[in-house]
Amino acid sequence: MTPTLEVKDLCTHFFTREGVAKAVDGVSFTVKPGEILGLVGESGSGKSVTGFSIIGLVDQPGRVVSGSVKYKGEELIGATPERMRALRGAEIAMVFQDPMMTLNPVLRVGYQIIEAILAHDAKVPHAEARSRARDALAAVGIPSPEERLDTYPHQLSGGMRQRVAIAIALVNKPALIIADEPTTALDVTIQGQILAEVQQLAKETGTALVWITHDLGVVAGLSDRLAVMYGGRVVEQGPTDDILARPLHPYTYGLLGSLPTRNRRGEKLVQIPGMTPSLMKMPKGCAFGPRCTRATVQCEEVPRLEQPMPDRELRCFNPVPAERSVAA
Amino acid sequence: MNAMIETRGLTKRFEKRLDFAGKLAKRMGADLKDEIVRAVDAVDLSVMKGEVVGLVGESGCGKSTIGRMIAGIMPATEGSVYWQGRDRNTLSGADAKAAKLAVQMVFQDPASSLNPRLRVEETIGEAPLVHGLVTRAERDDYVDQTLLSVGLDPAVKRRYPHQFSGGQRQRIGIARALAVKPSFIVADEAVAALDVSIRAQIINLFVELKDRLDLTYLFISHDLSIVEHVADRVVVMYLGRVVESAPTSEIFARPNHPYAISLLASLPRVEDRKRSFHVVKGEIPSPLAPPPGCHFHPRCPNAFERCRVERPALREIAPGHVSACHLNDLT
């Protein structure tokens, strides 16, 4: 079976006056149909730029410098703008963090959904487009969708707006959705509703999903596989349950250990020392090296992506030994 | 024992009165009203000395507004704040000043709460100098000590806020609050803007400072896992009202109010994986037109007739555990 998305050695660099920022520096992963991949990382880890690179929305001064992005076997890096335009919104859709930025404030919700339908098939009769738009709103759990078609974005709450943005992404039944922190700005009860709906949709429609987030709690319940990013590289990758039960990379290990729920109440949280490096002055070798307690001289070289266990990928010279792993 | 901070019937209304054109339109029969948001609706809250109280709720529930009123940077519409048993509005002179300095606030976004044009030493050293806690000659040393206490190198004090990372800026924000030697800190979403790995550092700093400086916290957060970790007692708010309050372990084990139950159930945790997400139906109603009776009744699975008309009062259901729900009267 051809994977829906195959990213290989993707490098996206930003050429600024201060120097070259290697936002994405050799990222590889694949997503199969119906699979949810959680792309986890902190700010500046390159997770969003990875998403933008896949869909071809990297702006100047950024550029995909090397690597390949294959959608159902078709190479997207270097594809013509026309081809990308045909794919975007029809086959590959993206949901962004802030729905107020993605929805046009002066157009009715219904118009914006219908626009997405007609942009890819101008021959759809208006009545049919409208009923499809209504169905899309209903699919993401919006009550009385018929009336909501005629509202403006500002009349909706944050959760509703994000549902509209997801409905626009879904309306052409894409095979791949890239969701960039879509629930970060929402309240927990609303986030729970949206996650439940997304999980069900992926299961029912076989849509592949790349869920970009900083919140391990969200992807723990949602995703099938996890890719943990740090300093522009995927440092660890594998099935979600395996990684949470047995993190191999010291960064993943530290990240999981620092979650309050993993610690006993009132006790000191396990903390990762130092701070996230600036993209402009990335440490030599392993980007996590300066903060890592297990670092050795060897870590001044970039560790290669290896397979220490079946179905697990790791970029580390000194992985966390089994006996130190936290029990979930 | 007297509470360190106590609020009685604390209320904040934000009112938008009709302007002249609005009044005129209303005369002509337009359907216009004064808009009144009850951000905080008669809240009684007390914090004992040495206690960490976690105030949780979703956006718009009034938790930040309470924090601001307690910190004294926003006046209350009704009700009052008692500082060590005395109404803060009745204090004057030295007592009033001491009560004000004793309560300090740490804000969510250190980038916007620090003056970008002031060097760190000015940001931290200004208030203690103005309030006569240190003399001009002592100020330098005092700033150094304060910086050290929050884990920053005193050598950085000549720098400006933009030269620091998010975590360091939050440390500066904490240092500024500590500089006037407060005994009570209101931390409003103080770690929400930070990266996960940095968050743990700042939470540890809060815990450490509490022990070292004998502080009391009102810890406002939407993140229940953080509150579970730091707080002794949790207060849950919904649309301007307190719906439940209990010791931390008690509320996480036996939440009583339907809202608290659903809030705890929607918290995504790393521990329980791949489960179906708990769904609370509906949305938070607009605070402009909150539902009558119990504010939660339109979303509540167990609501009955009385919930639609009568506001439930907070009642003790177990020692130290209060909840505002009519369902407790049924059994």
Side-chain angles (χ1 to χ4, degrees):
Chain A
M1 187 166 59
T2 343
T4 309
L5 179 70
E6 201 174 357
V7 178
K8 210 155 187 212
D9 296 323
L10 182 72
C11 290
T12 305
H13 297 177
F14 287 78
F15 301 89
T16 65
R17 219 180 290 167
E18 286 83 36
V20 180
K22 298 179 176 173
V24 177
D25 199 18
V27 164
S28 308
F29 56 79
T30 54
V31 192
K32 293 200 265 308
E35 195 175 58
I36 303 181
L37 173 82
L39 196 57
V40 192
E42 298 179 274
S43 45
S45 62
K47 55 190 194 305
S48 292
V49 177
T50 304
F52 286 121
S53 304
I54 294 169
I55 202 166
L57 288 177
V58 179
D59 276 333
Q60 285 294 337
R63 189 152 49 84
V64 178
V65 288
S66 63
S68 115
V69 174
K70 283 195 174 126
Y71 167 74
K72 288 183 176 169
E74 178 187 350
E75 180 60 55
L76 297 187
I77 303 297
T80 60
E82 291 75 33
R83 179 63 191 146
M84 282 312 289
R85 206 181 157 143
L87 287 174
R88 229 182 269 137
E91 303 265 332
I92 310 173
M94 190 149 181
V95 182
F96 301 88
Q97 176 171 353
D98 185 358
M100 217 38 200
M101 306 275 280
T102 45
L103 296 176
N104 189 330
V106 298
L107 296 178
R108 290 178 203 274
V109 162
Y111 182 91
Q112 300 191 49
I113 307 178
I114 292 168
E115 192 178 33
I117 299 173
L118 298 181
H120 292 283
D121 187 0
K123 290 194 285 291
V124 178
H126 187 82
E128 192 197 322
R130 195 176 161 89
S131 81
R132 271 173 65 187
R134 192 188 53 228
D135 295 345
L137 285 184
V140 291
I142 290 186
S144 49
E146 182 68 45
E147 284 107 82
R148 300 297 168 125
L149 284 175
D150 293 322
T151 55
Y152 289 95
H154 76 265
Q155 295 171 296
L156 302 173
S157 67
M160 284 295 170
R161 275 182 221 139
Q162 193 58 286
R163 280 162 208 253
V164 170
I166 295 175
I168 294 177
L170 287 174
V171 74
N172 287 315
K173 304 212 171 9
L176 173 67
I177 298 179
I178 298 159
D180 187 5
E181 305 254 13
T183 58
T184 307
L186 305 176
D187 281 314
V188 271
T189 54
I190 310 297
Q191 169 173 288
Q193 294 171 357
I194 288 188
L195 291 177
E197 277 145 23
V198 163
Q199 206 166 31
Q200 199 188 348
L201 284 168
K203 213 178 290 166
E204 282 170 5
T205 58
T207 307
L209 203 62
V210 178
W211 195 273
I212 301 171
T213 182
H214 70 280
D215 191 338
L216 276 165
V218 167
V219 281
L222 180 75
S223 68
D224 304 301
R225 293 175 65 80
L226 268 188
V228 182
M229 284 190 76
Y230 188 86
R233 302 189 187 110
V234 173
V235 293
E236 179 160 14
Q237 195 179 156
T240 304
D241 290 357
D242 293 5
I243 290 194
L244 295 178
R246 169 112 170 73
L248 294 171
H249 197 282
Y251 174 64
T252 323
Y253 179 79
L255 209 54
L256 283 168
S258 74
L259 294 177
T261 46
R262 283 283 174 107
N263 288 264
R264 217 165 305 145
R265 226 181 77 68
E267 268 177 28
K268 230 174 149 164
L269 294 175
V270 183
Q271 60 184 46
I272 304 178
M275 48 186 165
T276 21
S278 147
L279 282 175
M280 285 305 180
K281 17 180 208 269
M282 243 344 143
K284 222 177 114 208
C286 173
F288 189 60
R291 301 177 72 187
C292 183
T293 48
R294 307 185 54 81
T296 56
V297 201
Q298 209 182 359
C299 300
E300 281 178 27
E301 273 169 48
V302 179
R304 292 167 54 91
L305 203 57
E306 279 166 29
Q307 268 208 342
M309 286 181 202
D311 205 23
R312 288 286 290 272
E313 283 179 5
L314 179 71
R315 224 184 242 280
C316 184
F317 292 117
N318 308 303
V320 180
E323 67 270 20
R324 295 248 341 251
S325 274
V326 268
Chain B
M1 196 178 86
N2 252 343
M4 188 170 210
I5 279 270
E6 192 179 354
T7 71
R8 292 194 199 148
L10 195 64
T11 300
K12 182 75 196 178
R13 285 191 297 265
F14 293 103
E15 306 185 0
K16 195 182 136 208
R17 298 272 171 217
L18 288 178
D19 55 6
F20 177 73
K23 280 181 185 154
L24 196 69
K26 194 180 174 187
R27 279 266 178 102
M28 318 269 271
D31 184 22
L32 290 172
K33 285 196 302 266
D34 291 346
E35 291 186 346
I36 299 173
V37 175
R38 284 172 198 275
V40 176
D41 192 3
V43 167
D44 299 335
L45 183 88
S46 60
V47 184
M48 299 294 162
K49 184 167 169 41
E51 198 181 25
V52 179
V53 171
L55 190 58
V56 300
E58 296 177 278
S59 48
C61 74
K63 54 189 194 302
S64 290
T65 309
I66 288 193
R68 279 157 195 263
M69 286 191 286
I70 288 178
I73 57 175
M74 185 184 265
T77 316
E78 270 166 36
S80 31
V81 179
Y82 289 76
W83 169 249
Q84 294 182 329
R86 296 164 72 191
D87 188 342
R88 221 165 43 183
N89 291 331
T90 64
L91 298 177
S92 61
D95 286 349
K97 189 175 155 187
K100 259 186 195 162
L101 284 184
V103 185
Q104 291 298 317
M105 193 153 178
V106 176
F107 299 90
Q108 169 171 4
D109 183 6
S112 59
S113 60
L114 296 175
N115 187 335
R117 292 167 193 268
L118 290 188
R119 295 181 194 274
V120 169
E121 58 179 355
E122 293 166 302
T123 296
I124 296 174
E126 186 180 30
L129 189 66
V130 169
H131 292 292
L133 295 171
V134 291
T135 62
R136 201 164 281 278
E138 295 161 351
R139 192 182 85 154
D140 244 21
D141 279 345
Y142 187 72
V143 170
D144 289 0
Q145 281 170 28
T146 313
L147 281 172
L148 279 173
S149 72
V150 296
L152 286 173
D153 183 356
V156 302
K157 65 182 177 183
R158 303 279 300 156
R159 296 205 201 148
Y160 290 96
H162 75 264
Q163 292 169 293
F164 293 90
S165 70
Q168 288 173 318
R169 268 186 229 140
Q170 195 55 289
R171 285 176 195 267
I172 298 170
I174 295 170
R176 174 181 58 185
L178 292 177
V180 290
K181 300 198 183 303
S183 45
F184 189 97
I185 300 267
V186 178
D188 185 7
E189 299 275 12
V191 295
L194 305 174
D195 267 324
V196 191
S197 70
I198 308 298
R199 199 176 283 178
Q201 296 176 4
I202 301 296
I203 294 174
N204 281 344
L205 178 65
F206 270 110
V207 175
E208 185 198 319
L209 287 171
K210 173 191 178 311
D211 295 340
R212 185 143 47 91
L213 302 174
D214 197 18
L215 296 171
T216 303
Y217 291 143
L218 179 65
F219 208 91
I220 302 171
S221 178
H222 70 281
D223 190 333
L224 288 157
S225 60
I226 292 172
V227 168
E228 183 181 10
H229 186 77
V230 298
D232 302 313
R233 195 152 58 82
V234 176
V235 177
V236 183
M237 285 189 71
Y238 187 74
L239 272 181
R241 295 175 184 169
V242 171
V243 296
E244 187 166 355
S245 160
T248 309
S249 48
E250 166 87 6
I251 203 166
F252 278 89
R254 283 174 293 280
N256 175 271
H257 195 280
Y259 176 66
I261 294 172
S262 51
L263 192 67
L264 292 180
S266 23
L267 172 69
R269 284 170 183 266
V270 172
E271 286 77 74
D272 30 47
R273 295 169 224 141
K274 206 66 196 177
R275 50 108 208 238
S276 53
F277 288 91
H278 181 87
V279 174
V280 200
K281 60 176 182 181
E283 308 230 348
I284 308 161
S286 157
L288 268 175
C294 172
H295 282 167
F296 190 60
H297 83 255
R299 299 174 78 187
C300 181
N302 308 319
F304 60 108
E305 196 42 47
R306 191 174 163 203
C307 304
R308 292 182 191 98
V309 282
E310 189 187 329
R311 171 178 176 174
L314 279 169
R315 288 200 319 132
E316 189 160 65
I317 53 165
H321 190 163
V322 292
S323 170
C325 183
H326 289 316
L327 291 167
N328 293 324
D329 295 345
L330 293 180
T331 45

